[in-house]
Amino acid sequence: MGVQGLTGFVEERGAFFTELRVRDTKLVIDGSSLYHQLCFASAVDFRRGGDYGPFAAAVRDFFGSLRACRVAPFVVLDGGRGADDRKLPTLRSRAAERLRAAHGLSRGDGGCLVPLLTREAFVQALGRLGVPFVQCFAEADREIAGLANRWGCPVLSLDSDFYIFELAAGYCPLTHFQWQSVCAGGGAQGCYVPARCFSAERFCRHFSHLNRSLLPLFAVMHGNDYLDAAALEVFFSKVRLPRGCAAGKGVKHVRLQGLLSWLSQFAEPAEAVDNVLKYLRKHQREEIRELLCTAVEDYTPADVNLEAFCQDGKYECEAARKADLPQWVLDALAQGKLAPFISDALILRSTFLHVQVENMQRPSAHSTALPIRRVIYGLLLKASQKTEAASPSKQTSELPVVCEFDRLQKTLKKTFVPAASLPTDFCDDHFPLDKLMEVPMSHRQMLLLETLGVKMSFLESIPSHLQLPVAVTCYWIRCSEPKVKLHQLKALLLMIVSGELHRITNDPDPTVVCAEDDSIAYHEFLKWKEKKLQNKDFDLDAAHSFCQWQCCLQMGLYLNQLLCTPLSEPDLSRLYSGTLVHRLYQELKSTPAVENLFSSSPKMTQLYQVLLNMVES
């Protein structure tokens, strides 16, 4: 994220910040940075697939602190990779890093890894809390900067690119935003969040009054997400940077300081670029000039009017217009009702499948959900295939293909996956992408359930918000390799029942009646959770199986969203707890009586039996 080494350099010095009391203001928040930060802060275990309940609670507490200080937040999320796909090398590098982290965690090493459904849990939490947000069409940085300048308010993020943008009210790094330590404040002004704001003025003054307009050129030359510094190695090998700095590994801050000091001799970017090019061979100069100028543009705040989106829900940007997607798809993407995975598959025919802590000797956990993904690709790409078919030079008999980046053992590999032909009952003409919302709900529901291999008549006895997870569980049982063990299934269903018990005993909705036996069962469950676990072993094969379930759930969610939610979307914060499902699995192996955990509640006992009988049948 951002400019290599810049956060470390700025943090080490500390002199480039001013103290800030955040209250009575708007605040533009980088959603990606926030959910990563809250995920890492709320998690106690990264090996077991995530605990979305504590994460959602951290999101709620964060925005509660802002509300107490009369701060009006607006969250801006990254979208897809964009039609130019300029960040592909960076994204591949990050995916390889995640793979290394996942492998380390699977062996018992330390480390952090964002659980698979964290982003979806975050979007759901924003919706429940009524926090306004937008999902940009591609990367959000420029749109965040544009909106913050329009409103004259700070940006809250962890992305070092915001040290470079010219921001009217400055950049507050999340690491210095003390939302858990709200101060009472004196007088009528009231409480505030103590924070620190980066001062570009102090930073530039430190480097011989460097012209602020040269910061984007510095970022690009030093190496950011769009331009690898290797493109300029010839320059760095020949130039004499101030303070005796030289190129080489392990001296990042030395080069960083030397480059800033060298740039300070120039009045404006064009002059600096001309001087950079002098060190390069003549035949390289124009290509590098174009690279530098294009990359510098990335630090110009975007003119996308996000303010209009806040008022009327209409998101418009040039890249979205050029993509020529159906309007309902663009609206759903902006509202976070479709994931960036969908736009990447549709525009680039390329997707990244995020690795989890799984058994690296086995096929990727995502392979279980491949048939669901192929149906998603079929729905998305049939329209474009027909457009291509109008050209006689195109081969129309071949199915569209999507390039998936996934792991093969411990390495990142790309695989070309053909989109599925829809089942014969669902002729392509019945599901045109541009008119998908107009297809009768019963047809959309039938396609979803046929993909998952379940009939609606089986699900009718299940609460509506659990129908999708139960259908996914049936699919998981049928398609997983190796086969799901009975204890794993029972642990998963007991976990789902515990979430339902939590819902009815903690729901503030006065129309939800909580029986006394449900309250007793819930308190007994909490007491059981507090007991010391006898067997703390980590079962990698069980972890792999639960990873497969999450992969199936993720693609089930995406297909349900693409079909305009023919089934209710489940609340992830009450649906999956990796710590709990692993504990239940371990205890069921040694103490089968754990299956009667909710025996005090006839309603929960019945729900568990209904789920178990249905899935087993």
Side-chain angles (χ1 to χ4, degrees), residues 30 33-34 37 62 156-158 171-178:
D30 174 355
S33 286
L34 179 61
Q37 176 84 346
F62 175 85
L156 185 66
S157 177
L158 268 182
Y171 160 49
C172 295
L174 263 161
T175 43
H176 294 290
F177 191 78
Q178 298 174 56

Side-chain angles (χ1 to χ4, degrees), residues 578-589:
T579 306
L580 177 60
V581 77
H582 276 260
R583 175 171 182 172
L584 285 164
Y585 171 66
Q586 290 289 5
E587 295 220 2
L588 279 164
K589 288 195 295 184

